[in-house]
Amino acid sequence: MLARGGGGNEKNDPDGGGCGSRWDGRQTAPVGSFAPNAFGLHDMLGNVWEWVQDCLGFGYAGAPADGSALESGDCSRRVLRGGAWDSPIEQVRAAYRNPAGVRGHGFFSVGFRVVRMP
């Protein structure tokens, strides 16, 4: 997954005009292929959709303020965030919520993040 900004105007593009990588507009890129974001995190936007723990809900009303997962709403469906290499630029942002089914579907542009807790 990529650490892309979302300020661009084309698919798979952090800055507008094409990022010029050999993967640009064709496929996913290897982890760490691009510079980290302002928080030092790699691979947050634009390579594959990130399947997160949040239950599907529209808007942030009632969402936990501590950053924990939203465990109310339609928990038979979860949320995808961050966009993928083939997504329109308006979807390549962490705030964009794409509903996902829990079972029976596999997509080449969806992944998940493994987190290590201290």
Side-chain angles (χ1 to χ4, degrees), residues 50-56 67-72 74-81 97 102 111-113 115:
E50 184 174 328
W51 190 23
V52 298
Q53 185 177 348
D54 290 348
C55 295
L56 181 61
S68 61
L70 178 63
E71 292 292 338
S72 62
D74 183 359
C75 292
S76 70
R77 300 181 81 188
R78 298 295 171 151
V79 174
L80 301 175
R81 292 184 182 263
R97 299 168 61 83
V102 174
F112 61 92
R113 183 173 301 272
V115 178

Side-chain angles (χ1 to χ4, degrees), residues 19-82:
C19 68
S21 76
R22 65 178 177 243
W23 310 283
D24 196 12
R26 291 190 199 106
Q27 66 185 58
T28 58
V31 171
S33 295
F34 296 87
N37 65 17
F39 299 103
L41 300 172
H42 287 268
D43 313 329
M44 296 301 294
L45 303 172
N47 203 21
V48 295
W49 286 99
E50 184 174 328
W51 190 23
V52 298
Q53 185 177 348
D54 290 348
C55 295
L56 181 61
F58 294 97
Y60 291 98
D66 63 0
S68 61
L70 178 63
E71 292 292 338
S72 62
D74 183 359
C75 292
S76 70
R77 300 181 81 188
R78 298 295 171 151
V79 174
L80 301 175
R81 292 184 182 263

